Amino acid sequence: MNLKSQFTLAFMLSVLCLICFSGMAILISGSKIVAFDHDVISFIQGFESPLLTTIMKFFTFIGSTPAVAMISILSLFFLYKVLKHRTELILFIAIIIGSPILNGLLKLLFHRARPNFHRLIEINGYSFPSGHAMSAFAVYGILSFLLWRHIPTRWGRTLLILICSIMILLIGISRIYLGVHYPSDVIGGYFASGCWVAIAIWFYQRYQEKKSEQRRPN
């Protein structure tokens, strides 16, 4: 896929995620998704066991601010020292910092209370959209984008996408299992973060395209 195609794809994905997030926000505001949320929570928490609770707490920790900060620092070191990235580091930092800022603004906007019928951990703050879901999508989404071009084999790229997708999914599910988020919070978080990541990549690709045009001989 050439640079112009990537540029167009990033823009289309940002618009699609924005539309999906807006639809989710409308459903939440109108309380039209309550039955869906309760059914999914009941299904996921139906598998509750001491071992599974420990596993879900681990994935929730992986999606927490301290863990995300550590993963980001290690990723920055790898991108800079091993892959010799330069401008990509700005993109990575912008996405990682921008995600929690956007999440905080959206939570203040929607003021959705957290579930209160069966919590396995206690946490304060508003519920929609899930900060863990947004952070997970931001971190593993941008890592997938930056590492993809450096993996020469198809199976290697498939493994990269598979691992990142599993991490994103399990961090989101852990929040539902532990009773601190509705499923719609997690889904909304994915869409919000997807929009943010795609917009950031769009600007980055646009910058790269302009640099490429400047290098071309007249």
Side-chain angles (χ1 to χ4, degrees), residues 97-118:
I97 293 177
S99 179
I101 294 174
L102 177 61
N103 179 255
L105 293 173
L106 290 172
K107 284 189 174 183
L108 288 175
L109 176 64
F110 289 100
H111 280 77
R112 191 186 197 191
R114 292 183 184 272
N116 58 9
F117 39 89
H118 183 53

Side-chain angles (χ1 to χ4, degrees), residues 73-90:
I73 291 170
L74 293 174
S75 299
L76 285 170
F77 179 82
F78 178 79
L79 293 170
Y80 183 78
K81 287 292 186 179
V82 179
L83 301 182
K84 308 300 181 182
H85 283 212
R86 296 297 184 271
T87 56
E88 292 90 340
L89 299 183
I90 299 175

Side-chain angles (χ1 to χ4, degrees), residues 172-217:
I173 290 175
S174 74
R175 305 303 283 170
I176 301 170
Y177 177 91
L178 296 172
V180 293
H181 275 298
Y182 295 103
S184 52
D185 296 333
V186 173
I187 296 171
Y190 290 154
F191 285 136
S193 191
C195 181
W196 166 238
V197 171
I199 287 174
I201 290 175
W202 181 80
F203 276 106
Y204 171 77
Q205 296 292 73
R206 186 176 182 182
Y207 169 76
Q208 292 291 89
E209 187 178 39
K210 286 184 177 180
K211 279 181 60 178
S212 178
E213 289 176 353
Q214 290 172 358
R215 291 172 183 168
R216 292 173 191 161

Side-chain angles (χ1 to χ4, degrees), residues 42-215:
S42 296
F43 174 77
I44 292 177
Q45 290 188 336
F47 295 96
E48 183 180 341
S49 69
L51 175 60
L52 189 55
T53 298
T54 300
I55 293 172
M56 290 295 104
K57 285 182 177 179
F58 168 77
F59 280 104
T60 269
F61 171 75
I62 292 296
S64 67
T65 300
V68 168
M70 182 58 66
I71 292 170
S72 298
I73 291 170
L74 293 174
S75 299
L76 285 170
F77 179 82
F78 178 79
L79 293 170
Y80 183 78
K81 287 292 186 179
V82 179
L83 301 182
K84 308 300 181 182
H85 283 212
R86 296 297 184 271
T87 56
E88 292 90 340
L89 299 183
I90 299 175
L91 172 65
F92 183 90
I93 292 170
I95 287 176
I96 299 305
I97 293 177
S99 179
I101 294 174
L102 177 61
N103 179 255
L105 293 173
L106 290 172
K107 284 189 174 183
L108 288 175
L109 176 64
F110 289 100
H111 280 77
R112 191 186 197 191
R114 292 183 184 272
N116 58 9
F117 39 89
H118 183 53
R119 289 192 192 179
L120 299 179
I121 60 174
E122 287 301 322
I123 189 171
N124 298 318
Y126 296 118
S127 188
F128 180 84
S130 166
H132 276 64
M134 287 189 66
S135 292
F137 196 100
V139 171
Y140 295 103
I142 190 57
L143 282 177
S144 296
F145 173 76
L146 294 177
L147 296 177
W148 176 274
R149 69 193 71 181
H150 296 281
I151 299 177
T153 61
R154 179 176 296 179
W155 72 264
R157 291 178 173 181
T158 301
L159 184 62
L160 171 68
I161 297 302
L162 183 62
I163 291 173
C164 289
S165 297
I166 289 173
M167 291 301 295
I168 292 170
L169 185 62
L170 287 178
I171 289 171
I173 290 175
S174 74
R175 305 303 283 170
I176 301 170
Y177 177 91
L178 296 172
V180 293
H181 275 298
Y182 295 103
S184 52
D185 296 333
V186 173
I187 296 171
Y190 290 154
F191 285 136
S193 191
C195 181
W196 166 238
V197 171
I199 287 174
I201 290 175
W202 181 80
F203 276 106
Y204 171 77
Q205 296 292 73
R206 186 176 182 182
Y207 169 76
Q208 292 291 89
E209 187 178 39
K210 286 184 177 180
K211 279 181 60 178
S212 178
E213 289 176 353
Q214 290 172 358
R215 291 172 183 168

